[in-house]
Amino acid sequence: MSGGQNRNPGALGAQPGKEGRYAEAAGTLTITQARGAAKAADLYYIQPEAGDSFTIEAKGRDAWALNRLRKAGARGCTPITEPAPRWSAYVHNLRALGVPIETVMEQHGGQFADNHGRYVLRAAALKCGAA
């Protein structure tokens, strides 16, 4: 290993007596995302059912989730009807911005019967454009 390459000291932590040995795969490629390619935020005017109106910036999956909630209206969204990897995280982030989103617990049947959450936007949300 040449001196110009980065070493991973954690790689040796689980290998007693193997100091100075590193495994390298021949012909591996490193794929990285371009720096500075941040997504632009969208502006939303939020008018809660109770309280004062305000404006937020949302981008990426948070903006996607807010748009899905807007489209769903009073019926709301579940990860079953609107598949996404981290619905609870998107809702958490939107709530941190002050967006009122209610979680309604529902039972479902089937082979793996249990409960699931349905997320319902409790505000009018108007997309105003990009920030």
Side-chain angles (χ1 to χ4, degrees):
M1 184 172 216
S2 69
Q5 292 179 326
N6 293 333
R7 291 178 172 249
N8 180 356
L12 298 177
Q15 301 178 15
K18 303 285 185 175
E19 291 77 29
R21 297 184 187 180
Y22 290 85
E24 294 180 5
T28 58
L29 299 175
T30 302
I31 301 172
T32 61
Q33 187 173 7
R35 292 188 186 266
K39 295 180 181 180
D42 293 324
L43 289 175
Y44 294 88
Y45 180 74
I46 309 295
Q47 185 174 6
E49 293 173 352
D52 295 331
S53 301
F54 56 95
T55 303
I56 65 165
E57 290 183 12
K59 64 181 177 180
R61 283 292 192 155
D62 296 340
W64 174 86
L66 182 54
N67 287 326
R68 302 314 302 162
L69 289 165
R70 290 172 54 221
K71 183 177 179 183
R75 79 177 181 279
C77 297
T78 71
I80 296 167
T81 61
E82 297 288 338
R86 299 285 312 273
W87 258 107
S88 59
Y90 313 144
V91 169
H92 174 81
N93 294 341
L94 292 169
R95 285 177 177 157
L97 295 172
V99 179
I101 300 171
E102 180 183 3
T103 302
V104 178
M105 296 307 294
E106 301 175 338
Q107 291 186 352
H108 62 267
Q111 185 177 2
F112 303 102
D114 201 356
N115 297 315
H116 66 268
R118 175 177 299 276
Y119 301 111
V120 182
L121 180 62
R122 296 297 185 199
L126 177 65
K127 187 173 178 180
C128 303

